Structure formats: structure tokens, C-alpha cells
Amino acid sequence: MLLWLEWWSQVRNLRGAFSRNRTFLWFALCVAGITVRKDLAGVTSIIRSLGLRESFYDPLLDCFHSEAINVNRLTVLWTDLVCRCCARFLLVVNGRLVILGDGLKIGKEGKKMPSVKKLHQESASNTKPTYIFGHSCQVIAIVAKAAETFFAIPLVCRIHEGVIFSNRDKRTLLDKMTELLSSLLIRVPSYFVADAYYCSKGIIRDLLKSGLYHLVTRARSNAVAYYPAALSTTKGPGRKRKYGKKVKLKTLFADTEKFAKAQSPVYGERDTILKYRSVDLLWRPVGISVRFVLVIHPQRGRLILMSTDLSLAPLDIIRLYGIRFKIEVSFKQAIHTLGSYAYHFWMAGMTRLSRKSGNQHLHRKDDKYRDQVRRKIRAYHAHIMAGIIAQGMLQYLSLFKTDLVWKSFGSWIRTIRPGVLPSEQVVAVAMRNVMPAFLAVSEDEQILAKFIRERIDITRSEGVALAA
């Protein structure tokens, strides 16, 4: 019960994103259902996990589609809540927070679902098909650390492809990522860590323009840079040369004598010695000096990392990029444990998609049709935010209530060891075990418990009347 009371003490801080208290309670009910459900069959699983009657299915759907939910405001409040409550656990490197960003493609077969399009998947895994139909999302998370455990606490996710409302909108996915990062209103200096897709002049310029962010990423193997031009002693017309000798970065691996050896700073790696070389060069797309770190890893091979912060130590750059993988672990938990993306909201009046569908251009549709599409996408984002909040609260309880989680887990597990915090799955099982005690508290102690209990009592009373 104490886990749920702590859970509610934090979730209630999100009330400001809802114009109606009843809508907020329905939304909190959905977050609770996502937290404890055993299967991922959309809204139906929320009904089963909380023991609600089938007639509550439509009110739950109405909750996600409700205009009383301000999704953007909810995102800001959730980000602020995470930064305040988990402040002492947030990872700080060189005086800056660590924020992760990445893209995510969710398979969706619905032919009447806005934003569904044919997507190409670049992966070395042969278990993933080359092309899928689904939603293309971008996600931002913040890194927390306790003992030997890292968490990528999700902050926001948005669907950024599939629908074009105006043919004048020329924004790329990189532009939308920087806008999404700015919308979180994080006013603390941070490192934005992302993969090679985000190694672009557009995103670097936008991050540096804000004055708060630096980019840590992986450069492509064919990247080139320039040494600064030698100072000229002669005077002549025109501006002085800025770029000197051009260098292909991968050729720097040949001079092994300039590489230093060090213990690997990547989390989870022990007794691993890697070689690295740091060099500050001019990168022409942005016209400034950036720090390149060439890494020779005994198992992972060669890698070229890049940072726009010249004061960041080379080993810290390697360490930060190693932590980037935690957002992939967060995706796995969101998809397979919580079902944050297990929504099935179809739009009845939508034009049926073909099997060769790309972006859905809506600038020739009427205003009513466009508003219906916006309403449906807002419902997708509301469901995703419910999953993000549920996952973030599981991570919060793992950080702050570790002993209580293991005590409430009620079973043996071999991964209980010093320095390793319980995963989201373990915390979800613990909360599922103490759910009956939470519902049994007095009305004065718990608003949400009363709200859930009233609906369960309605279900039971109808069952008794039906049996009679």
C-alpha cells in the first residue's frame, strides 16, 4: 500500500494539465491500469487489470480523446516533476545533465489510423523486417543513476511522420526533434546524446543557439574535417583562410602511436582496456571546432565519436555515448512490459490507406476532416504519455523505495544483488501484489482509491443483480 500512496503523491502533481478533475481521475486510472496489467491488449487490458465492468470501456476511450487533456502542458509538468523529484539521482557530467534522444518505429496495421505509413528499418538484426507499416516517433529521456544502475526516464514522445497538414511545412525530423527538446522547458545546461542520425549541422546549430545544450554523438565513418589554417604573415586582399589541411577521420586510425590506453569507462565493462585518440578539428557543416574521439575497442571495433563541447574529456565522451544505449532498454520496457504504444484507436471516417501508403497529405481535405485527424493523433499522444508516466513512476519507485519494492515482490529472483535496482517489471509485480491493500484504505486517505473502488463496486453490484 505504501508504494501506491507514494505513487499517488507524485501523480497528483499533474492535475494542472487537465481542465476537469474527473478527466484527471480517469487518466490516473488509466496510468494505474497500465502499471499493473499483465497483458498488452490495449484499453481492454486496463479494464481487466482493475476489475472494471465492460461498460467502462467507452469512458476510457473518451478519456484519451478528451479535449480536457492538454498533452503539451502534461509533458511540461511531467518533465518538471522528474527533474524535481529525482534531482539527486540525475546524472551530471561536467556540470551538465544528460539527455538522450532517439527515434522509434511502432508497427501498426490499421488502415484507418492517421500517421500510419510505410517505414524503412535500418537494423543489423535479421529479426526485423526491412519495411513495416506503423508510426514513426521520436523520444527524449533523461538519465538517472543509483549505485550501478542507470535509468533512461522517458520525458516525451511524439509521432513526427505520416501526416502533412500544410504543404508549406518543410521541417525535417531533426527540426522536430530540436523543437520537441525546447518544448520541455529544461533551463539547465545539458548534453544531448544521440546516434549518428542526429550528427547534422541543423541540429547542432539549433542546440548551440539555445545556449543550454551540447551534442554528443557518433560521426559517420566517411566523415571529414579540417585542421585550422596556418597563420599568414603576408597581407593581401580578401579574408584570411579558415580551413587548412583536409583529413579523412578514418585515416587517423593508422597512426596507432598517438592512441592512449585506458580502462573502459562504459558501464558494465570491467577489465577492458581500450585505445582512444582525441583531436579538435574544424567541421565544415557548422564552421566551428568540434572534438572527435577515435576509439579502438577490443570487442566493439572502431568508432568515431564527436562532441561540440571542447571542454568535455575524451573518456567522458566515450562514457556518455555508452549510456545512450539505455534509451533502447527503455524502449524495450515500454513496448513489452507496459504497452505504452499498444493503442488501437481507429478513425471511422478516414480514407482507407493502401499498402503502398506514404505521408498523408491533408492540405486538400476540409477543416472537419483535419480536425478529426488532429483529435485522433492527440489521443495517440495521450495514451503514449500515460505509458511514459507509468514507466517513469516505476523507475521513481525503484530509485526511492528499493527495499520496499523487494519486500512487496513476494517471490524469489536471482537478480537481487547489491548495486542493482529492481527493473520496471519487478516494480510492476510488487505494485500488483499490494493493489488490494491500496483499494482498502479509508476514503479520507486516498482519492484515487475511492474512484477505483466505486467503479469496482458498481461492477460487483450489477453482477449480483444479474445473478438474482
Side-chain angles (χ1 to χ4, degrees):
M1 183 180 71
L2 294 178
L3 288 174
W4 279 105
L5 294 177
E6 180 66 25
W7 180 90
W8 174 246
S9 68
Q10 301 302 332
V11 171
R12 67 194 308 173
N13 293 317
L14 305 176
R15 170 65 180 85
F18 301 81
S19 60
R20 297 175 66 243
N21 187 62
R22 180 167 290 273
T23 304
F24 167 65
L25 291 177
W26 275 113
F27 184 82
L29 187 72
C30 294
V31 176
I34 292 173
T35 301
V36 300
R37 63 182 177 181
K38 296 181 179 180
D39 60 270
L40 308 178
V43 176
T44 306
S45 60
I46 298 177
I47 298 288
R48 287 194 296 270
S49 64
L50 298 176
L52 304 177
R53 58 174 176 168
E54 60 184 22
S55 61
F56 287 123
Y57 181 81
D58 288 335
L60 287 177
L61 290 182
D62 293 340
C63 171
F64 289 118
H65 291 78
S66 174
E67 295 183 358
I69 303 177
N70 187 332
V71 178
N72 293 332
R73 176 62 176 163
L74 179 62
T75 301
V76 173
L77 289 178
W78 169 244
T79 302
D80 180 68
L81 180 64
V82 170
C83 292
R84 284 189 295 104
C85 296
C86 302
R88 67 188 179 95
F89 289 109
L90 296 182
L91 181 63
V92 178
V93 177
N94 200 25
R96 293 174 175 268
L97 297 176
V98 180
I99 297 176
L100 309 179
D102 202 0
L104 177 64
K105 296 174 182 178
I106 304 297
K108 296 291 177 185
E109 288 293 337
K111 294 184 179 180
K112 288 196 173 185
M113 296 181 69
S115 289
V116 169
K117 63 175 291 188
K118 191 175 184 178
L119 301 170
H120 180 255
Q121 294 193 122
E122 295 181 3
S123 177
S125 173
N126 58 8
T127 62
K128 290 185 177 181
T130 306
Y131 291 94
I132 65 168
F133 283 87
H135 282 155
S136 174
C137 307
Q138 294 194 109
V139 186
I140 294 176
I142 192 167
V143 179
K145 181 181 185 298
E148 299 179 4
T149 301
F150 289 90
F151 279 129
I153 304 177
L155 300 179
V156 62
C157 173
R158 292 289 186 270
I159 300 171
H160 276 166
E161 279 191 281
V163 171
I164 298 178
F165 287 96
S166 172
N167 57 357
R168 298 181 182 89
D169 188 0
K170 304 300 181 182
R171 293 176 302 165
T172 65
L173 285 176
L174 301 179
D175 297 330
K176 294 177 181 180
M177 173 60 89
T178 54
E179 291 176 3
L180 188 62
L181 183 60
S182 300
S183 69
L184 299 179
L185 303 181
I186 299 177
R187 303 306 183 193
V188 181
S190 308
Y191 289 115
F192 183 69
V193 186
D195 61 12
Y197 178 79
Y198 296 93
C199 183
S200 167
K201 65 177 182 179
I203 198 167
I204 291 178
R205 288 175 177 174
D206 289 342
L207 292 177
L208 295 181
K209 187 185 299 182
S210 69
L212 293 173
Y213 301 101
H214 276 292
L215 178 67
V216 176
T217 184
R218 178 172 63 88
R220 290 176 171 84
S221 60
N222 61 350
V224 298
Y226 295 82
Y227 288 104
L231 295 177
S232 177
T233 58
T234 61
K235 294 183 179 180
R239 67 177 185 179
K240 297 181 180 180
R241 288 185 62 193
K242 180 177 181 180
Y243 299 98
K245 181 181 177 182
K246 179 180 178 181
V247 56
K248 295 181 179 180
L249 294 177
K250 63 181 179 181
T251 62
L252 299 179
F253 284 105
D255 193 356
T256 57
E257 293 182 356
K258 294 185 178 180
F259 280 76
K261 293 183 179 181
Q263 177 75 32
S264 174
V266 179
Y267 74 94
E269 291 189 349
R270 297 178 180 177
D271 302 325
T272 301
I273 304 299
L274 54 76
K275 297 179 181 180
Y276 71 94
R277 177 185 178 184
S278 176
V279 56
D280 296 343
L281 299 171
L282 290 170
W283 199 46
R284 197 154 197 166
V286 289
I288 61 173
S289 293
V290 298
R291 175 158 292 177
F292 293 98
V293 179
L294 291 79
V295 184
I296 302 177
H297 194 280
Q299 286 85 37
R300 304 175 190 271
R302 296 179 175 183
L303 198 67
I304 304 174
L305 305 180
M306 186 184 78
S307 170
T308 57
D309 185 5
L310 301 182
S311 66
L312 187 60
L315 289 178
D316 284 335
I317 295 175
I318 300 172
R319 178 190 176 203
L320 288 180
Y321 194 77
I323 295 173
R324 191 204 70 83
F325 186 72
K326 281 299 176 181
I327 197 171
E328 305 285 355
V329 178
S330 178
F331 291 163
K332 181 179 179 181
Q333 295 287 350
I335 294 172
H336 298 291
T337 300
L338 292 150
S340 303
Y341 304 93
Y343 49 83
H344 308 284
F345 305 151
W346 295 353
M347 178 177 158
M350 178 178 165
T351 303
R352 189 178 180 88
L353 298 176
S354 68
R355 295 299 297 177
K356 298 181 180 180
S357 64
N359 290 325
Q360 301 160 31
H361 295 268
L362 304 182
H363 55 279
R364 294 183 178 178
K365 298 289 185 178
D366 56 43
D367 291 340
K368 181 180 179 181
Y369 187 88
R370 288 198 293 267
D371 289 341
Q372 290 176 343
V373 172
R374 290 190 180 96
R375 175 177 178 267
K376 195 61 61 174
I377 295 177
R378 188 174 65 245
Y380 298 155
H381 290 160
H383 188 283
I384 292 172
M385 281 306 301
I388 284 176
I389 293 169
Q391 183 175 2
M393 289 308 304
L394 292 177
Q395 294 169 334
Y396 168 84
L397 294 174
S398 178
L399 290 167
F400 285 89
K401 302 293 181 181
T402 306
D403 294 338
L404 186 57
V405 168
W406 286 124
K407 183 179 179 181
S408 305
F409 183 64
S411 181
W412 177 84
I413 185 170
R414 70 180 181 87
T415 54
I416 301 178
R417 56 188 186 271
V420 178
L421 271 61
S423 66
E424 291 94 325
Q425 177 70 57
V426 170
V427 182
V429 171
M431 297 190 72
R432 192 182 304 141
N433 292 338
V434 297
M435 186 71 163
F438 169 70
L439 296 177
V441 300
S442 65
E443 296 180 1
D444 296 334
E445 292 177 353
Q446 190 49 256
I447 299 175
L448 182 62
K450 177 185 175 182
F451 190 75
I452 299 175
R453 190 168 60 250
E454 286 177 350
R455 277 138 188 82
I456 294 177
D457 290 342
I458 292 173
T459 304
R460 291 174 178 170
S461 63
E462 287 193 349
V464 172
L466 185 63

